[in-house]
Amino acid sequence: MHDADHERRGHNADRPAQWQTPHRPPDADADAGAPTTEPDVDLVERAFIEGFRGTNDPVSFLRLAGIPLAMALPDGRKAHLLRVEEEERTDVGAVTALLGGGHRVRPLPAKLVGRRRQLRFFYQADGEPPLVVDFATARAASAVPPD
């Protein structure tokens, strides 16, 4: 193999592999409707959660993180950020499919228990129910000046 070919085919040659969080498949962000070019967005979200919890000025922290206080909706209207929620999930069991049908559920050993945190951002447009988006979608939204 030529040295130049080896350099291009090295570990993570195209982009970093998403191996840190096994609960999110590589295309999880695409499924959420928010394409992202940022690798390891789950790690960025985790860092955001840690910082957001400890900040004395949440609005300035949101600005620093690139979360718009108001965003443009596809129809041209404006939606304003009302609330940031954090959801924590703990996976304590595993499901195994059985040959011939059915499944078996078993508790996980302590070292395999999975804990995940996820953010939800609630935006409000005039006369509409709140629009709830995830971290990647909020960061990718087109910001507009708040009223």
Side-chain angles (χ1 to χ4, degrees):
M1 181 184 315
H2 188 267
D3 286 337
D5 291 337
H6 179 68
E7 289 175 17
R8 282 189 296 250
R9 292 184 178 180
H11 180 69
N12 295 335
D14 295 327
R15 67 182 190 96
Q18 177 105 8
W19 59 269
Q20 293 85 350
T21 305
H23 299 289
R24 282 194 174 176
D27 61 349
D29 294 321
D31 290 343
T36 181
T37 58
E38 184 170 21
D40 301 324
V41 70
D42 58 321
L43 298 178
V44 175
E45 183 176 20
R46 189 178 316 151
F48 177 92
I49 290 169
E50 290 171 11
F52 192 69
R53 283 181 176 171
T55 186
N56 293 330
D57 186 353
V59 173
S60 293
F61 191 88
L62 290 165
R63 288 184 176 126
L64 180 64
I67 304 294
L69 299 177
M71 74 163 130
L73 297 175
D75 64 5
R77 291 179 304 135
K78 187 185 293 188
H80 297 272
L81 182 61
L82 295 178
R83 181 181 330 131
V84 179
E85 286 186 359
E86 178 185 342
E87 178 182 56
E88 183 172 355
R89 291 180 288 197
T90 304
D91 297 321
V92 297
V95 178
T96 305
L98 300 174
L99 292 174
H103 65 277
R104 178 181 313 159
V105 179
R106 297 280 188 233
L108 291 169
K111 67 181 181 178
L112 294 179
V113 167
R115 288 189 171 92
R116 296 177 277 161
R117 290 189 179 111
Q118 183 176 0
L119 292 168
R120 296 186 309 176
F121 297 85
F122 289 75
Y123 285 86
Q124 179 71 49
D126 289 334
E128 296 291 326
L131 171 66
V132 182
V133 299
D134 64 8
F135 179 73
T137 303
R139 285 185 39 108
S142 298
V144 295
D147 294 337

